[in-house]
Amino acid sequence: MQMDVRPWLERWQQNNIGWHEPGGNRNLREHWHALRAGRRVLVPLCGKSEDICWLLAQDHDVTGVEVSALAIEIFFREQSIDYLVSEEQGLTRYRATELPLSIYCCDYFDFHEQGFDALYDRAALVALPPEIRERYASHTAGLLKADAALLVITLAYDQARVQGPPFSVLPEEVTAYWPGIELVASCNDIRNCSDKFHEAGVTEAIESVWCRPA
Ligand SMILES: C[S@@+](CC[C@H](N)C(=O)[O-])C[C@H]1O[C@@H](n2cnc3c(N)ncnc32)[C@H](O)[C@@H]1O
């Protein structure tokens, strides 16, 4: 099934990016080191996440994949990182000139580089509707080494009351996609959810942090 990415491109054009966390994600900082992740980290659906800079500062090689060229250009501009753009195997690659960072501008399902040591998924799995998520998980597994470290952050809430994205992803779905992954933290994050959650009367949205060490 092909994904319609136009709504995402429009959101970037309208600067309607309520998911973006200025300063990055606290869970990454708290749980990453316990994973003993190898050097090469994959960040699917990366947006303009400042977590990329944090991972670079931990000495990782970072590869992001993002469908919006605008998002990628904003990221490099805001972070004052110089870059070059090239076309490689049909994909547009933005490569930092002085840091081990590349962001590919494409539909994630067209990205096929393999051998990553670790996955950082914040607001990627939960950005996808149910009919795409299984494909996302198996595509991602094919890009990672078998013993790759994983850090995946999910949100679970009453999907009958409010539509995604972000979509509700239940624990059994996460453990089915990622054998050996374990819940390391969870909390009710409703206060950080967008207006549509509050307008629908949702009072509980459980943010969960899932990890699998290398
Ligand atoms: C909810 S945002 C999360 C961004 C980032 N992970 C963060 O934590 O800030 C999802 C991002 O995925 C991008 N995206 C959506 N579908 C995509 C696809 N099929 N391929 C690549 N990027 C996609 C969107 O443009 C958007 O920037």
Side-chain angles (χ1 to χ4, degrees):
M1 177 177 301
Q2 275 309 108
M3 244 195 97
D4 181 7
V5 295
R6 283 171 303 182
W8 290 106
L9 300 178
E10 281 163 20
R11 291 186 74 158
W12 278 103
Q13 274 152 14
Q14 294 158 3
N15 195 30
N16 179 14
I17 56 164
W19 65 79
H20 178 70
E21 290 186 307
N25 186 274
R26 70 185 188 291
N27 294 305
L28 173 66
R29 286 145 182 76
E30 204 170 320
H31 299 288
W32 185 258
H33 290 299
L35 297 182
R36 301 180 302 278
R39 199 166 165 82
R40 295 185 65 216
V41 182
L42 175 64
V43 187
L45 283 63
C46 63
K48 60 165 189 169
S49 172
E50 294 172 33
D51 295 330
I52 290 171
C53 299
W54 188 84
L55 289 165
L56 287 168
Q58 314 312 304
D59 246 358
H60 288 291
D61 285 15
V62 181
T63 300
V65 186
E66 167 57 53
V67 76
S68 165
L70 179 59
I72 299 171
E73 284 159 18
I74 293 172
F75 169 81
F76 280 103
R77 189 170 65 241
E78 287 184 352
Q79 302 306 326
S80 305
I81 299 175
D82 293 330
Y83 64 95
L84 293 169
V85 184
S86 56
E87 296 297 321
E88 290 182 23
Q89 292 159 0
L91 308 182
T92 305
R93 178 181 187 179
Y94 290 70
R95 187 165 55 81
T97 52
E98 288 168 21
L99 290 167
L101 166 66
S102 289
I103 302 181
Y104 287 85
C105 184
C106 60
D107 184 331
Y108 182 57
F109 297 103
D110 292 331
F111 176 77
H112 296 288
E113 195 173 309
Q114 293 181 325
F116 289 94
D117 297 303
L119 168 71
Y120 174 54
D121 174 332
R122 185 255 162 192
L125 179 67
V126 299
L128 301 172
E131 63 276 14
I132 304 276
R133 289 201 293 269
E134 188 172 350
R135 185 171 161 223
Y136 166 85
S138 62
H139 181 70
T140 303
L143 307 180
L144 301 173
K145 289 182 181 166
D147 60 351
L150 310 173
L151 196 160
V152 179
I153 301 171
T154 56
L155 195 66
Y157 60 89
D158 184 355
Q159 190 76 92
R161 300 186 76 157
V162 57
Q163 288 191 334
F167 292 91
S168 178
V169 176
L170 297 175
E172 49 270 32
E173 189 176 333
V174 181
T175 52
Y177 293 151
W178 302 115
I181 204 163
E182 287 187 359
L183 183 66
V184 296
S186 70
C187 68
N188 186 357
D189 198 36
I190 191 66
R191 71 184 192 291
N192 290 320
C193 290
S194 65
D195 291 347
K196 70 181 178 185
F197 285 76
H198 303 286
E199 285 157 12
V202 176
T203 56
E204 197 175 74
I206 304 299
E207 182 187 70
S208 296
V209 184
W210 301 87
C211 287
R212 188 182 76 189

